[in-house]
Every structure is written in structure tokens, then in C-alpha cells.
């Protein structure tokens, strides 16, 4: 074996020993609440397609039509000749929906964070993030070169302590330091919500800016389903509204919504925007079609069904994960602790026709491995019945045998 291979094999052996080895599964089909895997059809509680829009006929047709009209790719970056009509239409639609002056789309949510945070901050600045923000925001914060401070998850007192500290740094030698707070509105692995009103009050009080990642909230929360900022009435006070088009909207890409100056500045400075080929036109057209569905009466009906399904799953999980706060999103984690336990439960469910991912470190902290259930409006009563039965059987299987 070459030393290159041997080095990597050694790394993999370490990952294996820790029970953290991952491998890809080849999924043959995925639609709504079902996926095809290894010749089986499984009910899945895994995808982020919370409304079933990835396979909605209007969304799929729009993508096909766009591919015919604009081709398979965008041919260049936005600033060269890849700034196609579908990108502009999607941005206008997003801005209208979010009630902001402007919006900007990127080829993914990850690329959005990676472009935006380093564009806004540099070495002299401070970035303050919730402990549980997504890897893309952590990586982007590091890339920016700003001083990174982490506050305990949803802990307003800790956040305020850090903002006090940040202002002390600012009042030092001359240079006005920028302070940016980054949080998710709905957290991707825990499914809980950030105390947005209080965070917005704090950032105003201390003269900081807020970047809000609505990846798991857009399409689901708020009167027009534009996100949790809308639901809490704070959207117009958030400097940088970020989200993805790849989850509830069923398409692909990331976005920023905010002031015209923000968008114009990002066009001139966000490196993942400038130095990357524009999003695939079919993806942008699909995202726009999905937003139109979400904002229609059909969208209201889908979101209503999603929330009823969330309530159903919450009730089914209760005997297993214990009493919890009422589910605040379409993500319901069952935190079981050890890696092996999460893997065994996922295996047991898979044998009974159900796919739920076991989530381990580094996606979640050590000792907090979990089954992460995600619900869709597309799940049927029969899907939930199968899950309920499977969980009951598994619980019986793992009960200690009665003493002889
Ligand atoms: C998925 C996710 C992203 C990344 O979005 P993609 O479009 O999948 O790249 C960003 N932030 C959070 C919180 C996410 O869950």
C-alpha cells in the first residue's frame, strides 16, 4: 500500500473503531414519504422535502420546461453571462415574498453562508454564533478571519455577556469592529426554535447585526410560510435573512434576502457568488414554481397537513422518547445517546420497512446520537401506522427478558 493509501486507511480505521464510519446508500427513487433502496420500498422519515414539493407536478414540469428553454447548465458565472432570466425572476419573487428590497440566489445554502459571512466580516470583526448552528456557518465564520465566539444554545444571558464583551473590544483602539450574530430560526438537528424576538432586541441594544438561517423554517412557518421571522413579526429587523431552496421548497440553491445595499454589496464581494457558475436554470425555475405553490391556497392546505402530521408523529414518539415540549417544527429528534444504540434502532426500523437516519458525531455532540425523524405533508395515515407498529415491536424486543 502506498503511504498515501495507508495514511487514509489508518484514519478510516480510527473512524470505524469509534463507531462513526459512514457510507453512502444508493437510493433508487425518492418521492414524498417513500424511497426505493436495495430493492425495497421504505417509508422514509429522513428527507427535508417537508411539503412533498420536490415531486410536485407543477414544480417538476417547470423544471423540465426550463431545461428545454435554457439548457442543462447556466454556462457561466452570474457576473459574466450566466445571469439568466430565471435567476432574476426568482430573486424578485423571493424579495416580494420576504418583503425585502432585494434577494440574491446562490447555488446552495452552504455556498451562501460561505460567501456572505466572509464578505461582511474580516480580521478586525467579531462573529457570535449559537452553539448549534450549521457547519456551513461555522466554516464561513472561520474563513472570515473574524474572532469567533460561541454562545450556549438559545442562551440569551450568555449571548448578552458576549455582546457586552464585544462592545468593550469595540470601544478600544479606533477601528469600529463589526459584530454579527448568527443563528438558525429552526435548528436542523434538534428541531427547536430560537427566541427570535429577544435576540433581535439584544442585537439592536448592542448595535450588532443579525444573520438568520431559515433553512428549516422557510415554506413552513409564518402566515405566508416565508419563515419564522415572519411568524414572530421580526423580519424587517433582521439584517441578513438566509435560507435554502433545497428543503421545504423541494428544489436546489440558497438565498439571501434583505436591503438593496446588502445584495449589491454581495454581488461585488461574496466569493462563492462571483467565482462559481450560476445556479442550474431548471433549479431556479423549480424553486420559483415551489414558492408559487406554497403561497397559493394549495400551499396553505399542504402546510396545514404538515402540521397535523407533525402532531401525529409527536404522539407516536412520546412513549419512546418520553414527554417533550410540543414539536416546534418538522424535525423530531429521539436522542438515545450511544452511537450503537442509534444504529441498532435505525437497523431495526429498516427491517420493518422504515428509513430513519441515525445521526452521530460530528453532526451532533458526542453522546447525543439520535434518530432524526423528519415529517412531510406527503406522509399518509398508513405510513404512521407502520411506524407506530414497528416502534412498539422494537420496544418489546429490547425489553429485558422476564426472570426465569
Ligand atoms: C441544509 C442546511 C444548510 C445548507 O443548505 P443547502 O442548500 O443544503 O446547501 C444551511 N443551513 C442549515 C441550517 C441547513 O440545515
Amino acid at each position: 500500500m502506498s503511504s498515501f493509501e495507508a495514511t487514509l486507511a489508518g484514519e478510516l480505521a480510527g473512524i470505524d473503531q469509534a463507531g462513526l464510519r459512514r457510507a453512502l446508500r444508493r437510493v433508487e427513487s425518492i418521492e414524498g414519504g417513500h424511497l426505493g433502496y436495495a430493492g425495497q420500498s421504505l417509508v422514509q422519515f429522513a428527507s427535508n422535502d417537508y411539503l412533498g414539493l420536490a415531486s410536485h407536478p407543477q414544480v417538476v414540469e417547470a423544471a423540465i420546461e426550463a431545461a428545454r428553454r435554457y439548457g442543462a447548465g447556466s454556462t457561466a458565472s452570474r457576473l459574466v453571462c450566466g445571469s439568466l432570466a430565471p435567476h432574476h425572476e426568482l430573486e424578485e419573487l423571493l424579495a416580494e415574498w420576504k418583503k425585502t428590497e432585494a434577494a440574491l440566489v446562490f447555488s446552495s445554502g452552504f455556498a451562501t453562508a460561505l460567501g456572505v459571512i466572509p464578505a461582511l466580516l474580516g480580521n478586525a470583526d467579531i462573529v457570535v454564533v449559537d452553539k448549534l448552528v450549521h457547519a456551513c456557518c461555522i466554516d464561513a465564520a472561520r474563513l472570515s478571519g473574524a474572532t469567533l465566539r460561541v454562545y450556549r444554545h438559545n442562551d440569551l444571558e450568555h449571548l448578552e455577556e458576549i455582546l457586552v464583551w464585544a462592545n468593550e473590544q469595540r470601544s478600544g483602539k479606533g477601528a469600529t469592529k463589526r459584530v454579527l450574530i448568527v443563528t438558525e430560526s429552526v435548528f436542523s438537528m434538534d428541531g427547536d426554535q430560537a427566541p427570535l424576538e429577544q435576540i433581535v432586541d439584544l442585537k439592536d441594544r448592542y448595535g450588532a447585526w443579525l444573520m438568520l438561517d431559515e433553512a428549516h423554517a422557510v415554506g413552513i412557518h409564518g402566515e405566508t410560510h416565508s419563515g419564522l421571522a415572519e411568524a414572530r413579526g421580526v423580519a424587517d429587523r433582521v439584517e441578513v435573512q438566509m435560507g435554502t431552496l433545497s428543503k421545504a421548497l423541494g428544489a436546489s440553491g440558497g438565498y439571501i434576502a434583505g436591503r438593496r445595499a446588502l445584495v449589491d454589496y454581495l454581488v461585488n464581494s461574496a466569493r462563492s457568488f462571483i467565482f462559481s457558475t450560476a445556479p442550474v436554470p431548471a433549479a431556479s425555475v423549480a424553486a420559483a414554481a415551489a414558492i408559487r405553490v406554497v403561497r397559493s391556497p394549495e400551499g396553505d392546505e399542504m402546510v396545514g397537513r404538515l402540521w397535523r402530521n407533525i402532531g401525529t408523529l409527536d404522539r407516536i414518539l412520546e412513549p419512546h422518547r418520553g414527554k417533550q415540549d410540543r414539536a416546534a417544527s418538522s424535525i423530531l429528534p429521539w436522542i438515545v445517546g450511544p452511537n450503537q444504540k442509534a444504529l441498532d434502532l435505525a437497523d431495526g426500523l429498516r427491517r420493518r420497512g422504515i428509513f430513519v437516519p441515525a445521526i452521530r458525531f460530528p453532526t451532533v455532540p458526542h453522546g447525543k446520537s439520535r434518530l432524526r425523524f423528519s415529517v412531510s405533508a406527503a406522509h399518509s395515515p398508513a405510513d404512521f401506522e407502520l411506524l407506530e407498529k414497528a416502534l412498539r415491536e422494537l420496544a418489546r424486543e429490547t425489553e429485558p427478558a422476564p426472570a426465569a
Side-chain angles (χ1 to χ4, degrees), residues 25-29 35-42 350:
R25 288 182 202 90
R26 178 178 167 140
V27 173
E28 302 294 345
S29 64
L35 61 78
Y37 170 65
Q40 258 185 304
S41 171
L42 302 175
R350 201 142 59 239

Side-chain angles (χ1 to χ4, degrees), residues 163-344:
L163 291 175
V164 168
W165 167 86
N167 273 4
E168 285 165 11
Q169 312 306 303
R170 280 213 266 211
S171 59
K173 311 167 228 78
T176 320
K177 290 188 166 78
R178 300 170 181 183
V179 179
L180 177 72
I181 301 168
V182 183
T183 183
E184 283 167 37
S185 56
V186 167
F187 284 85
S188 63
M189 291 298 140
D190 291 64
D192 56 344
Q193 300 182 356
L196 286 189
E197 298 94 321
Q198 291 90 333
I199 290 174
V200 166
D201 283 345
L202 276 177
K203 70 98 188 160
D204 280 346
R205 192 163 343 127
Y206 289 91
W209 298 338
L210 177 61
M211 175 160 161
L212 183 64
D213 183 350
E214 295 253 41
H216 294 278
V218 66
I220 299 171
H221 297 266
E223 201 189 330
T224 71
H225 322 307
S226 80
L228 196 65
E230 178 187 36
R232 301 282 185 82
V234 296
D236 58 347
R237 294 168 67 195
V238 178
E239 282 78 8
V240 188
Q241 298 189 56
M242 169 195 162
T244 179
L245 307 163
S246 332
K247 288 173 180 160
L249 297 173
S252 190
Y255 69 83
I256 289 294
R259 309 299 295 221
R260 182 87 246 163
L262 169 66
V263 166
D264 288 350
Y265 176 68
L266 291 175
V267 166
N268 285 276
S269 59
R271 294 170 65 83
S272 65
F273 178 85
I274 298 170
F275 298 104
S276 185
T277 299
V280 172
S284 293
V285 170
I291 292 171
R292 289 195 186 97
V293 173
V294 167
R295 296 176 74 192
S296 72
E298 184 189 357
D300 294 338
E301 206 264 319
M302 287 167 128
V303 173
R305 196 153 11 107
L306 172 63
W307 281 104
R308 285 193 296 283
N309 283 351
I310 291 168
T312 302
L313 183 60
D314 208 4
R315 181 185 56 72
I316 290 173
L317 290 180
E318 192 183 311
H320 306 282
R321 59 175 198 160
K323 190 111 192 109
Q324 310 261 328
D325 289 341
R326 221 171 100 223
S329 74
S330 47
I331 301 160
L332 288 83
W334 174 11
I335 299 173
V336 299
N339 294 331
Q340 200 53 49
K341 187 165 176 202
L343 292 172
D344 289 347

